[in-house]
Amino acid sequence: MPEITRRRLLGLAGVGAATIAAPSLLTGCGSSKESTQVVFGATPDIAKAIEKSIARFNDSKATAKPVRVRLMPADSSQFLDQMRTQFQAGSADVDVFGGDISWSAQFAPNGWLADLSERFSPDLRAQHLKAAVDANVVGGKVYGVPWYWDAGLLYYRKDLLEKAGYTGPPATWDELQEMALKISRDTKTPFGFNFQGANYEGGTVNGIEYIRSAGGDVLTDGRVTIGSAEAVEGLTTERTMVTSGAAPAGVANYKEDECLGGFLGGKTVFTRQWVYLYGKLADKQQSVLGPDQVGVAELPVARAGLKPVNVGGGWNCMVNANSRNQDDAWKLVQFLTAAEQQKELAAGYAFLPTRPALYDDKDILKAMPVITLAKQAIQHTTVPPLTPYYSDMSLAMAKTFNASLRGAVSPAGAAEQLQTALEQIVAKSK
């Protein structure tokens, strides 16, 4: 999922990556001390968020070797590339790391991740969201433990819908289009709907959502199925948002920031966004809207009877197969993913828990009221295709989805092109 969501979430707590100033917490590459430490690789945002947790863990003497955090690239693609380079070199410099939802499927087939199946027992797995656990299962073995979560949601101007006589949010994309056009026209709101349509990972995620909401998918039982009629229907729906005028043509260049600004600035009726948006409503420097003016719902579907779907995911704790500190590494994973630490991340930094039991915690609900409004959507989140080839596939999808959205290629042509391109990626990688 797009790394920008995590950076934006930290804004809720007034914390920026640049504020990290704790040298004792960090290790440098190639440090001679690493053989006497358990090294955890993390992006700057999460490193700041877990600073106190790591200090508590070290104070508890849970492991003989102290844990130190190594800052990894904030950009998830660069982080992925750096870990791949280290793995290919057989490096044991990083013992544990926080990895994106798609990384288990990409790393595990190469033997780069420690098998956690026996340590992360079925009873422990049952305490987490099923989709989060399933994303870490490769070849019947478990290679990661869910840490935090995210979901794609539909935000809407509740006040404008009520004024227009609507009793609730749209259930289908056709209803959304109709409502967006009518409300924007009647209220003189500049735009009806926006979403992330640019040529990047967020565009990939949104395109997959349109396809899945029509009953299609990118992969089915490991086979490329993006050329299906359902996939064409999904991409047609996405393109129609622009041709109908419900969404501006510029949405083909929109990432999270553009969508956020349009909605919080009162210029858009509907937006597809991540969980963090709701927390921005209380910030009058960023939003002209108040929480009472905004509703949250699941994303629409193509036709009545289909199940709502969104594509999100989260991050997991994974152990380097070459680590010389496997037992200590597992103790750290257990600690970081435990309910206490997940609650701290949720209440203090707006990172969604992967533990459903925490969704009823009063402290978390107070800090993240969006959970009450979108609890069902959050727990129904699906993940990107689980495949060792996801990085290459995502690049191809982002480019072609964007071309379809801009009208440079028809939705049917885009689906056909991707069917061939993704099949070639799979074939070349075998």
Side-chain angles (χ1 to χ4, degrees):
M1 77 184 214
E3 182 63 24
I4 192 170
T5 62
R6 303 269 60 92
R7 297 200 296 273
R8 293 295 177 235
L9 282 172
L10 283 170
L12 298 179
V15 178
T19 64
I20 294 179
S24 63
L25 181 70
L26 310 177
T27 70
C29 184
S31 170
S32 61
K33 296 181 179 180
E34 285 174 357
S35 62
T36 61
Q37 300 173 340
V38 177
V39 178
F40 184 83
T43 55
D45 54 357
I46 193 66
K48 181 63 180 178
I50 64 173
E51 191 173 22
K52 293 180 180 179
S53 295
I54 295 295
R56 288 198 306 272
F57 184 79
N58 284 335
D59 289 343
S60 73
K61 305 296 182 183
T63 57
K65 299 177 181 180
V67 172
R68 293 293 180 266
V69 175
R70 173 183 293 176
L71 292 184
M72 306 302 282
D75 182 276
S76 58
S77 296
Q78 293 177 15
F79 188 178
L80 174 72
D81 290 340
Q82 184 167 324
M83 290 306 304
R84 182 184 288 118
T85 298
Q86 292 194 24
F87 285 141
Q88 289 172 339
S91 172
D93 288 350
V94 174
D95 297 286
V96 195
F97 61 98
D100 185 78
I101 197 78
S102 67
W103 291 8
S104 288
Q106 297 181 67
F107 290 158
N110 297 297
W112 295 337
L113 300 179
D115 179 2
L116 304 178
S117 302
E118 292 188 7
R119 299 181 189 270
F120 192 38
S121 66
D123 287 344
L124 293 177
R125 297 173 212 172
Q127 297 173 24
H128 295 265
L129 293 167
K130 185 178 185 300
V133 174
D134 289 347
N136 288 289
V137 178
V138 181
K141 298 179 180 179
V142 184
Y143 292 95
V145 178
W147 192 12
Y148 54 87
W149 196 238
D150 207 351
L153 305 173
L154 180 69
Y155 292 86
Y156 60 95
R157 288 289 302 277
K158 183 170 60 175
D159 56 337
L160 297 185
L161 264 68
E162 291 174 352
K163 185 179 295 185
Y166 294 108
T167 58
T172 68
W173 291 117
D174 284 346
E175 289 177 359
L176 183 148
Q177 184 174 301
E178 175 189 326
M179 293 166 70
L181 288 167
K182 182 180 187 305
I183 295 171
S184 63
R185 181 183 64 248
D186 292 352
T187 63
K188 294 182 171 28
T189 303
F191 306 111
F193 178 44
N194 70 31
F195 55 94
Q196 298 79 51
N199 181 2
Y200 80 122
E201 174 67 10
T204 296
V205 166
N206 277 250
I208 295 173
E209 283 176 341
Y210 280 103
I211 288 172
R212 288 182 176 171
S213 72
D217 211 338
V218 177
L219 296 175
T220 304
D221 297 328
R223 295 180 299 104
V224 177
T225 55
I226 200 167
S228 69
E230 292 81 5
V232 173
E233 180 181 3
L235 294 180
T236 299
T237 296
E238 183 178 31
R239 172 61 180 159
T240 302
M241 291 298 168
V242 172
T243 58
S244 69
V251 78
N253 299 313
Y254 281 18
K255 296 183 179 180
E256 281 81 1
D257 278 354
E258 291 80 8
C259 294
L260 190 73
F263 188 76
L264 295 181
K267 297 179 179 179
T268 308
V269 181
F270 296 94
T271 185
R272 182 269 181 213
Q273 261 290 4
W274 303 103
V275 171
Y276 71 85
L277 182 149
Y278 197 83
K280 300 287 188 181
L281 294 171
D283 185 347
K284 294 308 177 185
Q285 292 185 335
Q286 298 187 62
S287 178
V288 301
L289 307 176
D292 60 323
Q293 294 175 272
V294 177
V296 186
E298 297 206 64
L299 294 175
V301 294
R303 300 178 304 281
L306 291 173
K307 294 182 179 180
V309 63
N310 74 85
V311 179
W315 282 53
N316 311 285
C317 286
M318 304 172 187
V319 178
N320 185 346
N322 289 320
S323 170
R324 295 181 291 272
N325 303 303
Q326 299 266 338
D327 290 340
D328 288 345
W330 172 246
K331 290 178 181 178
L332 177 61
V333 170
Q334 284 183 296
F335 175 81
L336 289 175
T337 60
E340 180 181 355
Q341 277 63 244
Q342 287 207 4
K343 177 176 178 177
E344 184 173 71
L345 284 178
Y349 296 89
F351 287 81
L352 280 175
T354 64
R355 295 172 171 272
L358 290 177
Y359 284 33
D360 294 318
D361 183 280
K362 62 180 182 180
D363 295 326
I364 293 177
L365 291 176
K366 181 178 180 180
M368 300 181 71
V370 68
I371 289 179
T372 301
L373 299 172
K375 184 176 180 180
Q376 184 175 6
I378 290 168
Q379 298 194 53
H380 288 167
T381 301
T382 64
V383 300
L386 302 177
T387 170
Y389 326 115
Y390 181 72
S391 292
D392 290 338
M393 285 183 165
S394 178
L395 291 173
M397 285 188 285
K399 180 180 179 179
T400 309
F401 289 162
N402 183 258
S404 173
L405 183 58
R406 288 186 289 107
V409 62
S410 69
E416 183 179 357
Q417 289 179 20
L418 282 172
Q419 180 71 28
T420 299
L422 299 192
E423 286 178 344
Q424 290 176 345
I425 289 172
V426 173
K428 288 179 181 179
S429 302
K430 288 183 176 179

